[in-house]
């Protein structure tokens, strides 16, 4: 294991390492019980090797904005901070593959459980302010992102080059971020600069950013084509043939909830009440309601849903449920957004890459005898 890998894992005690050569760490739900996820508990997703960005490399680091712009902009981090308004945005960051291990039959991709998600306050400058200084032309359709991370088996091939539709790039919540929860970005979270794109899956939140390429077409960088981070436009059955042209880029998270307390290994009394708590979130459509159950979904009770602290942050839910008098105890939470979309009681519709499984999270508990 490399020194960078060792350092990243050392500072993330209690997280689960996902098997593979890249550093990918998942947070157990019980460690996600804070309104803002501590940096030591925030999940990590990498598509390749992390770049080496030491003090010497930072002397010459710049961000370039080019392509469909009136004038190319090349700017250092200090100049970026001093030239544009600095803002904070609270937002959930969730990997598109979060919950992939729950799909049956299994799909391609890392076998994430439910913990590839976290909520933080991101500090940076608005991408739209920098783009406006460059003068985006009328031909602009998409922005593409480039970073120095490479595939571990081919140092000439970028690990990732995602992007955003121009409308999202010009939205005020989309940031060029350099801090997280009041601290400078750690290397494992994208130091010195990353994209923050609230409502979009984590693949669009590119780390170690050094170029924003304004394009007159949908960006076709590494992992932007084929089935990468795309969902079918109609149902696809496991084993059935499909056409990649019938898949669309994921541009929104689905409504979802996660019970953070009690944990699956907790015991409960044989009677009485069970205090249940967790968080609910969504993409661009706000959460409206969360139902909770102690008997696996046979009966439901509305949870108390805390007022939203921000448009894209998650919302705390709490409930006190009567312990079922007999039978199994299985806690379930089910969120609904303002458009009436509810979490499916099972897994989300199957797709070949296992994206956006927002099926309900279940917590079986042991009854104390």
């Amino acid at each position: 294991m490399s020194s960078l890998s060792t350092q990243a894992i050392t500072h993330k005690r209690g997280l689960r390492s996902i098997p593979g050569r890249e550093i990918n760490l998942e947070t157990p739900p019980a460690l996600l019980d804070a309104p803002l996820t501590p940096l030591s508990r925030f999940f990590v997703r990498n598509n390749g090797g992390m770049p080496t960005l030491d003090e010497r490399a930072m002397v010459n680091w710049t961000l370039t904005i080019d392509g469909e712009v009136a004038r190319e902009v090349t700017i250092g981090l200090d100049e970026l901070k001093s030239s544009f308004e600095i803002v904070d945005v609270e937002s959930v960051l969730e990997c598109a593959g979060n919950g992939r291990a729950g799909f049956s039959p299994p799909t391609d991709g890392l076998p994430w459980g439910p913990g590839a998600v976290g909520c933080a306050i991101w500090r940076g400058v608005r991408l739209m302010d920098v783009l406006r200084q460059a003068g985006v032309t009328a031909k602009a359709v998409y922005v593409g992102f480039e970073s120095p991370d490479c595939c571990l088996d081919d140092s000439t091939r970028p690990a990732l080059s995602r992007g955003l539709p121009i409308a999202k790039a010009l939205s005020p919540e989309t940031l060029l971020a350099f801090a997280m929860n009041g601290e400078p970005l750690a290397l494992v979270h994208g130091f010195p600069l990353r994209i923050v794109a609230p409502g979009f899956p984590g693949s669009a939140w590119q780390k170690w950013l050094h170029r924003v390429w304004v394009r007159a077409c949908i960006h076709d960088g590494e992992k932007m084509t084929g089935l990468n981070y795309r969902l079918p436009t109609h149902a696809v059955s496991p084993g059935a043939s499909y056409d990649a042209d019938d898949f669309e880029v994921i541009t929104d998270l689905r409504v979802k909830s996660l019970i953070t307390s009690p944990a699956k290994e907790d015991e409960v009394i044989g009677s009485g009440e069970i205090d249940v708590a967790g968080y609910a979130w969504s993409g661009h459509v706000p959460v409206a309601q969360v139902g909770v159950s102690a008997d696996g979904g046979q009966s439901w009770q509305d949870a108390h849903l805390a007022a939203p602290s921000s448009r894209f942050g998650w919302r705390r839910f709490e409930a006190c449920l009567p312990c079922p008098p007999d039978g199994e105890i299985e806690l379930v939470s089910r969120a609904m957004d303002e458009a009436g979309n509810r979490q499916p009681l099972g897994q989300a519709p199957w797709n070949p890459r296992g994206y956006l499984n927002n099926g309900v999270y279940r917590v079986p508990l042991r009854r104390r005898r």
Side-chain angles (χ1 to χ4, degrees):
M1 184 178 292
S2 71
S3 59
L4 275 178
S5 300
T6 302
Q7 182 184 29
I9 294 174
T10 298
H11 288 88
K12 298 283 186 177
R13 291 186 178 89
L15 273 60
R16 181 176 75 96
S17 180
I18 305 296
R21 295 175 63 195
E22 298 85 4
I23 301 171
N24 290 290
L25 304 172
E26 179 182 352
T27 313
L31 297 184
L32 290 172
D33 203 43
L36 294 177
T37 308
L39 303 189
S40 62
R41 296 181 175 182
F42 215 99
F43 82 100
V44 174
R45 172 70 172 110
N46 286 306
N47 285 271
M50 292 194 299
T52 300
L53 292 171
D54 55 20
E55 291 183 5
R56 179 179 299 178
M58 280 304 299
V59 169
N60 298 316
W61 180 90
T62 58
L63 173 70
T64 297
I65 313 289
D66 61 2
E68 291 295 337
V69 295
R71 52 201 162 270
E72 181 177 316
V73 172
T74 300
I75 190 169
L77 188 59
D78 289 341
E79 185 181 358
L80 188 76
K81 293 178 180 180
S82 62
S83 299
F84 300 95
E85 181 184 7
I86 295 175
V87 297
D88 289 339
V89 171
E90 181 182 337
S91 179
V92 167
L93 169 59
E94 182 180 20
C95 178
N98 192 29
R100 179 182 284 123
F103 274 110
S104 180
T107 69
D108 293 338
L110 294 175
W112 292 107
V117 64
C119 186
I121 293 178
W122 309 88
R123 176 168 293 173
V125 303
R126 299 182 186 93
L127 176 57
M128 72 175 186
D129 291 344
V130 184
L131 290 174
R132 284 173 177 170
Q133 184 180 89
V136 175
T137 73
K139 295 181 180 179
V141 172
Y142 232 84
V143 294
F145 306 133
E146 292 187 357
S147 305
D149 54 322
C150 298
C151 294
L152 290 175
D153 56 359
D154 184 355
S155 61
T156 66
R157 180 182 171 188
L160 187 75
S161 180
R162 296 287 299 175
L164 290 171
I166 193 64
K168 184 64 176 181
L170 294 173
S171 293
E173 70 273 5
T174 304
L175 302 184
L176 298 168
F178 47 77
M180 182 179 177
N181 287 349
E183 298 183 23
L185 283 177
L187 179 64
V188 75
H189 290 300
F191 170 85
L193 199 69
R194 74 175 300 161
I195 291 291
V196 167
F200 272 62
S203 55
W205 296 46
Q206 190 142 339
K207 300 188 286 187
W208 312 299
L209 190 69
H210 68 193
R211 184 190 183 197
V212 176
W213 182 13
V214 184
R215 308 200 62 187
C217 60
I218 296 176
H219 184 51
D220 57 357
E222 189 69 30
K223 295 198 173 180
M224 273 294 295
T225 58
L227 302 188
N228 291 305
Y229 300 107
R230 292 172 181 254
L231 288 175
T233 57
H234 54 80
V236 173
S237 299
S241 60
Y242 48 79
D243 187 340
D245 290 339
D246 294 332
F247 284 64
E248 293 182 342
V249 176
I250 300 169
T251 58
D252 204 10
L253 295 174
R254 291 172 174 164
V255 65
K256 201 166 184 178
S257 62
L258 181 66
I259 294 172
T260 57
S261 178
K264 288 186 176 181
E265 62 273 13
D266 288 352
E267 291 184 349
V268 296
I269 57 176
S271 60
E273 297 178 325
I274 307 171
D275 292 324
V276 181
Y279 291 93
W281 66 93
S282 61
H284 294 85
V285 181
V287 172
Q289 183 262 342
V290 175
V292 289
S293 171
D295 54 15
Q298 298 181 54
S299 61
W300 293 91
Q301 176 179 312
D302 284 346
H304 169 72
L305 191 59
S309 57
S310 67
R311 179 183 173 192
F312 291 102
W314 57 19
R315 296 177 66 180
R316 178 79 167 178
F317 67 84
E318 297 178 344
C320 186
L321 299 178
C323 184
D326 50 39
E328 299 296 323
I329 303 172
E330 185 179 56
L331 305 180
V332 188
S333 64
R334 190 185 193 194
M336 180 181 73
D337 67 22
E338 290 185 356
N341 300 304
R342 289 182 183 271
Q343 291 183 260
L345 290 178
Q347 69 180 24
W350 188 92
N351 61 90
R353 291 294 177 85
Y355 294 131
L356 301 192
N357 185 2
N358 69 330
V360 297
Y361 182 61
R362 297 176 180 272
V363 180
L365 297 178
R366 295 178 296 175
R367 191 188 297 273
R368 189 182 306 164
R369 301 299 181 182

